[in-house]
Amino acid sequence: MATDAQPAIAIRGVTKRFLSTLALDSVDLTIGRGEIHALVGENGAGKSTLIKILAGIYPPDAGEIVLDGRSLNPHLEPVPIAFVHQDLGLVDELSIGENVALVAGFPRRGGLISWKDVWEQTKRIYAGMAIDPPDPRAPVGSLSAAGKAILGVVRALSRDARIVVLDEPTASLPGPDALHLFEVLRRLRASGTSILYVSHRLNELFGLVDRVTVLRDGRNVSSGSIDGLTTETIVRDMLGRDLQVHHVTAATGREATPLLTVENLCAGNQGPLSFTVGKHEIVGLVGLRGAGHEIVGRAIFGANSHSAGTIRLAADVIPADLPISARIGKGIALLAGNRLVESTLGGMSVRENLFPNVHAVSGALLRPIDTGAELRAVRDELERFDVRPRSAAALIDWLSGGNQQKIFVGRWLATGAKLFIMEEPTAGVDIGAKGIIHRTLRKIADDGAAVLVISSDFEEVATLCDRALVMGRGKITSELTGSTLTLEGLLTRSSMAGGQSERVH
Amino acid sequence: MTETTFQHSTASPPRQAAPSGALSNLVATYGLLFVFALVMLVFGVLRPSSFFSAININTILVSQSVTAMLALAEMVPLATKQFDLSIGYHLGMAQVLAVGLQVNQGLGWPEAAALILLLSVIVGLSNGLLVSVFRIDSFIATMGTGTLLFGVTNFYSNGEQISGLNLSVSFTNLTQIVHGIPLPAVYVAIISLVLWIVTEYLPIGRNLYVIGANVRAAELTGINVRRHIIGAFIVSGLLSGFAGIVLGSILQTGTPSVGPEYLLPAFAATLLGATSIKLGRVNVIGTLLSVLLLAFSFSGVQQLGAPFYIQYFFNGGILIVAVGLSVYATRRRQRAATTTRSQKT
Ligand SMILES: Nc1ncnc2c1ncn2[C@@H]1O[C@H](COP(=O)(O)OP(=O)(O)OP(=O)(O)O)[C@@H](O)[C@H]1O
Ligand SMILES: [Mg+2]
């Protein structure tokens, strides 16, 4: 990519310290005009911190940011940069149209907000990116995780900013939607927009980005053209060593006794669905955005109601009105996909976030918490998933997105459930930790648990699962196992099955 | 940009945030203690003879024990981020009934107390049901029930003071001074100890804070949110009722207008307490410390000859300062105190 003499944005020597953590240590980053620039690094490397400094959320301790040759301080003045933050920053209670207008502006007529134009604007912006618009009047809370990710991107791009920053936009985006996003980004690049792109899915960088900057422990490691780089060289820069690749081997040919049996389940407007997940088995449930596969796991856990059908755990029928606590008692676990809204206990410690409901495990509300044993368990979990910092007392808010995710995975593994429903188990997690989580899931399956993985990361499903069920339009349309369970297979089958544009009643 | 040295090695990650988290907690703890010490010092110097007299201290302990119980009552639902604005009216009703049931209905004090506490459970239960089952905002719901209770108080007393001249000695002895220690302070100590153990060491206490941090996440971890919120309001009601009985024994008359004015100081103390000990979180020790701080400052100001109406300025001002401080504490925690530790490494 030809870059002008003057870069679109230059970050020089930016340093940021939180308590005793040096999150950024004199970091440099230069993005040329019309360039897609990848920023990669392990969980906690400092990527989001750098982006938050650009957005003016934190003031830097040192360093400068130069835009078009002019040094400026984002903490004090507005910057012409569009952001998609890791947690998207959507307001769940407001409508989709209002969320778009918060960034794009509220259209007015005679000084008053014209609601008709607010709804129209949303449709126009979606259409401009060739994406089916959802009902702009529906609350954001009614969108699926992928739908929210799309909305976050769509509204940021509506600003026509010349610099766009995306922090892990594909973390919970199904393959086809991600491909669509890449198209949009390439079009923006062609029109001269500069893009900073953060992702842990390294494979998607090839063919998309022009340059790659690697951070490790808050420092620059390397920065240069992607030509000549491979996933391996990038990973080596990220970790400072080679990644040990342990292949998670699917247990083949084992006759699995069903632990979970779902018969003619109808939930929302999905179904009827029938399937089983056996002991020792990891089953993937995939679909395009709007395919309805998220609702299935939630109905089993009781977070969504279901209208018909039976759910059995071994021989035990789970009644439709059984509360979540009782289901957890029976050994069902659900890792919810929307980290910030459904898992994070803001302002509470890592320890409390790992063990929020002691009584669900111990069965006693009034037996004192065994502090020593709990702290040991916390230490083991932090060790197991390589969470940084290794501190039980740190607030969850101090952890990077990927490190928070590790905590929430650990939260459920610690319950010793029999059936684990994992939505996006490795969203936002770096390549090393992803391997650890996959191996851990394989281990609990080997030890007799049943695992249902609901993931938009088809690569993850292809490598981790024994079997995958593809859903479309509320039905299971195909089942892939063994040699048919590949990334390509999942992509074609789910595209054939189709999604549906998200609508809400 | 070539390879940089890899200081934070993966093999032995720096054990960092634990001590600094503890440090910021210590700083926060000492913040309130420091102000407390300062207040004692200033008034001790200005009014050395009267401020530290046993009588003054005991007067404060007795009168503030009721505020302390009410502040603790507020703390429990507030841990789940639900307000209880009915506690002041509840206190007033219990106080009038404590005297009235003995004087008018001729009940013995244990029967009267049992009846009041039963009523308190019912009030707490209704608050909890309104908030968690009917999903009425706690602010509105408890303001509503509180006003209803005020109506009950005035209906029962016909708006007139109930003289407690014939109250039994065993009732008035409930709040006497034994071996130099006022009994109400002992009650506060016992209640505090129980609540401290519950909030710090029992699963049920952690559940309350988890609900306060994120209701949806609490539900998804299997916490029965509804039951915990109802329970929190029942405890709040019970403590308010108990505080009313104690107040009845202290005042030895049933005064229908007494009660509502206790809400604000109790509320302020609870919120101020959340700025220390456990940053951004209501807690027993912070609450007690704040009650004492407010009481001693107020007493000191009074001894300097401030007019009676100063208390309104005092309470209103403190409430705003307390909320301001807790907002500041939360923000400071989120920004993770970038300045406090710049000297290390
Ligand atoms: N508000 C905060 N207070 C204290 N420490 C923080 C805070 N925000 C970030 N950190 C620390 O700064 C470091 C960098 O975090 P950052 O969120 O930038 O990582 P990241 O590269 O985005 O990681 P991820 O891939 O997991 O999202 C981490 O060690 C993190 O714990
Ligand atoms: Mg991040």
Side-chain angles (χ1 to χ4, degrees):
Chain A
M1 260 293 115
T3 47
D4 294 5
Q6 195 181 61
I9 184 166
I11 294 164
R12 297 205 191 109
V14 164
T15 296
K16 179 73 192 171
R17 178 183 285 281
F18 295 107
L19 296 168
S20 56
T21 310
L22 194 54
L24 295 173
D25 185 0
S26 189
V27 167
D28 298 323
L29 181 70
T30 306
I31 309 175
R33 289 177 207 283
E35 170 181 307
I36 303 184
H37 194 115
L39 179 62
V40 298
E42 279 184 290
N43 292 134
K47 305 177 296 294
S48 297
T49 305
L50 187 64
I51 287 171
K52 285 180 186 158
I53 286 175
L54 274 182
I57 295 171
Y58 304 131
D61 297 342
E64 70 169 346
I65 290 155
V66 181
L67 226 91
D68 289 329
R70 198 173 74 81
S71 173
L72 53 74
N73 183 347
H75 196 58
L76 302 177
E77 51 192 309
V79 284
I81 307 180
F83 290 93
V84 181
H85 288 292
Q86 193 161 11
D87 55 25
L88 299 176
L90 301 173
V91 186
D92 266 8
E93 291 75 27
L94 295 184
S95 66
I96 293 168
E98 284 167 296
N99 269 276
V100 169
L102 285 176
V103 170
F106 281 92
R108 288 160 193 268
R109 264 189 207 165
L112 300 177
I113 292 176
S114 157
W115 288 103
K116 192 162 148 280
D117 291 340
V118 169
W119 313 136
E120 282 309 314
Q121 158 176 290
T122 302
K123 290 187 183 154
R124 198 176 58 245
I125 292 172
Y126 268 86
M129 290 172 210
I131 299 171
D132 272 351
D135 179 358
R137 272 162 297 215
V140 163
S142 64
L143 285 176
S144 67
K148 286 182 189 167
I150 298 260
L151 172 58
V153 173
V154 164
R155 73 167 188 172
L157 300 187
S158 73
R159 270 191 54 188
D160 276 337
R162 289 183 22 257
I163 300 174
V164 177
V165 175
L166 302 112
D167 195 353
E168 298 189 41
T170 52
S172 56
L173 217 51
D177 280 318
L179 293 178
H180 202 104
L181 172 66
F182 300 156
E183 271 316 306
V184 175
L185 295 183
R186 286 195 193 96
R187 242 183 306 165
L188 283 173
R189 167 173 61 189
S191 66
T193 306
S194 306
I195 297 165
L196 182 63
Y197 185 83
V198 176
S199 180
H200 287 295
R201 299 190 182 175
L202 300 178
N203 288 343
E204 68 189 19
L205 303 184
F206 299 95
L208 174 68
V209 311
D210 306 301
R211 288 161 64 78
V212 181
T213 291
V214 180
L215 291 185
R216 191 200 312 151
D217 289 321
R219 299 197 189 88
N220 283 104
V221 175
S222 60
S223 191
S225 163
I226 193 163
D227 297 332
L229 297 184
T230 62
T231 311
E232 286 71 33
T233 59
I234 296 177
V235 169
R236 197 178 307 140
D237 280 352
M238 283 171 55
L239 307 184
R241 59 185 157 81
D242 280 315
L243 181 70
Q244 311 282 16
V245 187
H246 306 263
H247 276 291
V248 189
T249 40
T252 43
R254 174 149 44 181
E255 198 49 55
T257 40
L259 182 72
L260 171 72
T261 312
V262 173
E263 275 165 11
N264 297 319
L265 179 75
C266 295
N269 43 11
Q270 316 298 321
L273 300 164
S274 301
F275 64 94
T276 62
V277 182
K279 263 177 100 129
H280 306 292
E281 208 183 14
I282 304 183
V283 173
L285 191 61
V286 302
L288 298 187
R289 176 168 52 99
H293 51 301
E294 299 104 336
I295 295 178
V296 178
R298 288 172 178 246
I300 297 167
F301 186 69
N304 263 18
S305 58
H306 68 266
S307 45
T310 47
I311 297 170
R312 264 179 294 145
L313 195 67
D316 218 359
V317 174
I318 309 283
D321 57 354
L322 194 69
I324 290 176
S325 52
R327 292 182 201 230
I328 294 175
K330 286 185 184 297
I332 307 180
L334 170 81
L335 171 67
N338 191 343
R339 195 156 64 215
L340 189 69
V341 176
E342 298 177 313
S343 298
T344 311
L345 304 172
M348 300 189 79
S349 66
V350 162
R351 170 184 171 191
E352 289 162 320
N353 269 275
L354 261 173
F355 300 107
N357 186 1
V358 183
H359 131 259
V361 182
S362 73
L365 269 173
L366 298 176
R367 186 183 316 134
I369 297 169
D370 181 343
T371 308
E374 186 171 274
L375 283 175
R376 273 193 301 280
V378 171
R379 209 178 45 228
D380 290 348
E381 291 296 325
L382 299 185
E383 206 69 50
R384 159 149 75 158
F385 293 114
D386 190 19
V387 176
R388 294 177 224 179
R390 289 269 205 289
S391 161
L395 295 186
I396 191 80
D397 319 55
W398 300 348
L399 265 55
S400 77
N403 281 305
Q404 293 184 9
Q405 176 73 11
K406 298 175 195 171
I407 297 291
F408 303 135
V409 172
R411 173 191 290 179
W412 286 107
L413 292 185
T415 62
K418 294 184 225 154
L419 168 66
F420 290 88
I421 303 165
M422 312 294 272
E423 289 183 0
E424 310 290 351
T426 59
V429 150
D430 68 35
I431 188 163
K434 191 170 180 171
I436 300 175
I437 292 176
H438 284 176
R439 287 198 295 284
T440 311
L441 291 179
R442 178 50 69 190
K443 167 129 200 335
I444 57 171
D446 284 344
D447 292 347
V451 183
L452 182 62
V453 172
I454 296 165
S455 175
S456 59
D457 184 347
F458 288 179
E459 218 175 297
E460 163 168 279
V461 172
T463 53
L464 172 67
C465 298
D466 301 311
R467 202 150 58 88
L469 307 169
V470 180
M471 275 187 68
R473 299 186 204 290
K475 303 255 183 348
I476 294 174
T477 56
S478 50
E479 178 173 332
L480 304 178
T481 46
S483 58
T484 60
L485 180 48
T486 59
L487 178 58
E488 294 71 32
L490 288 168
L491 272 172
T492 42
R493 291 308 178 96
S494 56
S495 305
M496 274 159 55
Q500 56 196 37
S501 65
E502 298 211 38
R503 3 139 254 147
V504 195
H505 310 276
Chain B
M1 275 157 273
T2 46
E3 283 291 304
T4 38
T5 42
F6 195 11
Q7 275 194 353
H8 298 212
S9 87
T10 22
S12 60
R15 307 197 99 266
Q16 11 161 274
S20 57
L23 180 92
S24 75
N25 269 351
L26 278 181
V27 169
T29 311
Y30 286 131
L32 208 50
L33 274 177
F34 176 75
V35 177
F36 188 56
L38 198 73
V39 164
M40 299 297 270
L41 192 76
V42 168
F43 293 119
V45 168
L46 291 177
R47 286 284 181 279
S49 54
S50 57
F51 192 72
F52 281 123
S53 69
I55 294 180
N56 186 44
I57 290 180
N58 273 347
T59 313
I60 289 177
L61 285 183
V62 170
S63 66
Q64 290 310 308
S65 57
V66 174
T67 312
M69 287 179 213
L70 225 52
L72 293 170
E74 185 65 56
M75 193 201 81
V76 179
L78 214 49
T80 69
K81 297 258 163 74
Q82 305 289 348
F83 296 98
D84 189 347
L85 300 185
S86 68
I87 53 171
Y89 297 112
H90 196 153
L91 171 83
M93 178 185 73
Q95 168 256 146
V96 164
L97 288 180
V99 177
L101 289 177
Q102 297 183 63
V103 174
N104 298 343
Q105 274 71 37
L107 297 184
W109 77 261
E111 290 85 18
L115 219 61
I116 291 167
L117 292 181
L118 182 69
L119 194 60
S120 295
V121 170
I122 295 171
V123 171
L125 181 68
S126 350
N127 276 336
L129 288 173
L130 289 175
V131 170
S132 69
V133 178
F134 296 99
R135 303 200 170 270
I136 300 172
D137 186 78
S138 64
F139 206 86
I140 306 293
T142 57
M143 202 138 75
T145 46
T147 310
L148 287 174
L149 295 183
F150 199 48
V152 170
T153 308
N154 282 284
F155 166 77
Y156 177 81
S157 63
N158 205 15
E160 284 158 19
Q161 202 167 34
I162 300 169
S163 156
L165 279 180
N166 320 326
L167 283 174
S168 70
V169 183
S170 58
F171 180 63
T172 54
N173 274 354
L174 288 176
T175 52
Q176 69 179 334
I177 295 176
V178 178
H179 300 305
I181 300 169
L183 282 180
V186 175
Y187 303 150
V188 171
I190 295 170
I191 294 169
S192 300
L193 183 70
V194 172
L195 281 183
W196 181 70
I197 291 172
V198 169
T199 51
E200 298 294 316
Y201 294 103
L202 296 191
I204 195 171
R206 180 174 296 176
N207 289 356
L208 293 176
Y209 288 121
V210 167
I211 292 170
N214 186 339
V215 182
R216 181 66 184 151
E219 279 170 356
L220 289 177
T221 52
I223 293 174
N224 190 329
V225 172
R226 196 175 277 187
R227 211 179 284 169
H228 279 78
I229 288 182
I230 292 174
F233 276 107
I234 290 178
V235 170
S236 170
L238 266 175
L239 288 178
S240 308
F242 182 74
I245 298 168
V246 170
L247 186 59
S249 162
I250 293 172
L251 298 178
Q252 300 180 15
T253 49
T255 316
S257 61
V258 163
E261 76 278 15
Y262 277 85
L263 170 66
L264 218 56
F267 208 83
T270 311
L271 290 176
L272 193 60
T275 64
S276 77
I277 314 289
K278 296 238 156 190
L279 219 48
R281 204 191 277 193
V282 294
N283 64 83
V284 173
I285 297 173
T287 302
L288 288 183
L289 219 74
S290 304
V291 170
L292 287 178
L293 172 66
L294 298 186
F296 277 100
S297 331
F298 182 51
S299 151
V301 173
Q302 265 185 330
Q303 291 191 12
L304 294 182
F308 76 98
Y309 52 76
I310 199 76
Q311 62 173 311
Y312 301 112
F313 291 95
F314 202 80
N315 286 339
I318 288 291
L319 186 69
I320 292 169
V321 170
V323 174
L325 277 178
S326 70
V327 170
Y328 172 75
T330 313
R331 198 167 338 131
R332 204 185 74 140
R333 192 190 54 205
Q334 276 162 0
R335 283 203 317 244
T338 50
T339 47
T340 47
R341 297 268 302 176
S342 40
Q343 72 276 24
K344 206 211 150 189
T345 21

